[in-house]
Amino acid sequence: ISVYGEPELTRTVRVGADGAIRLPMLTGNIKADGLMPEELEQAIVRALKSQEILVDPFVTVTVAEYHNSRLPISVAGAVRSPITFQPVEKITLLEAITRAGGLAPDAGSEILVTSPVAGATPSSNTTLVRRIPAKSLIETADPDANLALEGGEEIRVPEVGKVYVVGNVKTPGAFP
């Protein structure tokens, strides 16, 4: 939170478990839960004016990090940059793979998506594994292949199978 010309009010704050923030010199908390940064700026301005701390404050709110109740999504295997991230809202499988830099050149023909089963308790370890053909997702843009991800999914992209050629041949090695 930045209050122009007031360094004692400019600071980094964390939204508490009750969904509110606390600023020095204000007698009460300010509700932040569910507000966009611009709305929170207006709420801080109203509080500073109503408690007669400042006459015409200029407030800027910048979100440093988001935390929410969604579980992280992991993308691993034959992708350019494996990643685990916290989704702020629902995203699609293609968006998750894009966050991981896309498929690597040695990616196999299937994408494995492991999702927690709705209604299952975390201790039951109940999951659903779906096999998505990479061609359907990337080349043919099949909407059924582009799953909506809620959070908690693990996306694994296996490498393509390889055949090893050895012995008295011109070019020994591993081939897809």
Side-chain angles (χ1 to χ4, degrees), residues 115-122 124 126-128 130 150-151 153:
S115 307
V117 173
T121 61
S124 69
T126 307
T127 58
L128 171 67
R130 288 178 272 187
E150 302 276 341
E153 288 86 359

Side-chain angles (χ1 to χ4, degrees), residues 49-107:
K49 283 182 176 181
S50 69
Q51 295 184 27
E52 298 179 355
I53 295 171
L54 295 173
V55 176
D56 191 21
F58 183 78
V59 177
T60 305
V61 172
T62 306
V63 178
E65 61 185 59
Y66 284 98
H67 287 281
N68 58 36
S69 60
R70 293 186 189 274
L71 296 171
I73 295 174
S74 298
V75 185
V79 291
R80 296 187 191 276
S81 302
I83 185 173
T84 297
F85 62 93
Q86 187 86 25
V88 177
E89 58 190 8
K90 287 183 183 179
I91 67 167
T92 64
L93 176 58
L94 188 57
E95 289 170 326
I97 290 173
T98 301
R99 283 191 184 195
L103 298 176
D106 61 345

